[in-house]
Amino acid sequence: MELEVTLLGTGVGIPHSGRAQAGLVVRAEEPLLFDCGAGALLRLAEAGLSPLEIDVVLLTHLHLDHVSDLLALAKARWLMGANEISVFGPDGTEAWFEALRSLYPYLEELDVSITIVRPGDEFSLSGLMIRAGEAVHSLPALGYRIESEAMAAVYSGDTEPAASMRKLARGADLLIHECSFPEPFVVTNHSTPLWLGGTFRGAGVKRIVLTHLYPQTVGREEEMVRDVRAGLADETKVEVGRDLQRIGV
């Protein structure tokens, strides 16, 4: 089974032109939405997807730039006659969602199923095997490996380049990994190009797409690709992702 990934949002909490906040869709039997930051709902429409097609959402963590359109998506489905949605996410997801929904009494009739996911969990959705790995961020955070019978794609969410992410991505056909800042920024909880490349050197990843780009990356995209490849020291294909980009796996 082939996979198709559509990048909905490749930006961050600080807006800059052309990049919505975090979100991507993986399509196999049915589309799965990973993260749902501000602008993701509009990007879904621009990608030709109706909210009615998105009944499963997997969250990497609960920062606003990854979750702020989730309630809006659930409401859009409700307005269109679909009352149910399933949400998978890290510890705290249920408490966060219910606290937010409680502010809007008319949405209490939404039928929302929430499943807490922890690093190491494996489960099947839409004919795909999903495995969660631990991300290194400022609050509980996950990365996800999505596998068909023959293909594997990994989405890092927000994280430092970490041994846990390297393990999750080993041998993957596609790694969508955050790379928030160019060199020579020194950061925690996020990734920079040389650090990212060095972490995944020898991991057997075939293609890396960089996402979660801060405004400081504008105009430095080619340089960032070169720096990631310098860290990798191999022939892995590296590119900067863009909103609405479709990637076949």
Side-chain angles (χ1 to χ4, degrees), residues 149-228:
E149 293 179 357
M151 301 292 179
V154 174
Y155 172 46
S156 74
D158 285 6
T159 184
E160 297 177 5
S164 54
M165 287 293 104
R166 175 188 168 91
K167 181 179 179 182
L168 190 70
R170 183 175 293 277
D173 299 279
L174 172 67
L175 170 61
I176 300 166
H177 200 289
E178 75 120 280
C179 196
S180 294
F181 297 96
E183 303 297 336
F185 279 80
V186 178
V187 298
T188 59
N189 301 316
H190 290 295
S191 298
T192 51
L194 288 171
W195 190 10
L196 192 161
T199 297
F200 289 94
R201 181 183 298 181
V205 176
K206 296 180 178 65
R207 182 178 182 182
I208 299 176
V209 176
L210 308 180
T211 188
H212 201 261
L213 303 165
Y214 271 81
Q216 289 89 338
T217 66
V218 173
R220 302 185 64 182
E221 294 87 353
E222 292 184 6
E223 171 192 332
M224 291 174 67
V225 168
R226 289 196 300 269
D227 285 341
V228 173

Side-chain angles (χ1 to χ4, degrees), residues 35-38 57-74 85 87-104 108 112 114 116 139:
D35 284 339
C36 195
V57 184
L58 297 97
L59 304 176
T60 60
H61 65 291
L62 300 178
H63 278 157
L64 273 176
D65 58 324
H66 291 252
V67 301
S68 58
D69 266 9
L70 179 59
L71 189 61
L73 171 62
I85 192 167
V87 179
F88 294 74
D91 285 334
T93 298
E94 183 171 15
W96 166 79
F97 188 87
E98 293 304 334
L100 182 61
R101 179 166 64 166
S102 70
L103 300 174
Y104 305 93
E108 287 298 323
V112 181
I114 295 180
I116 299 302
L139 76 177

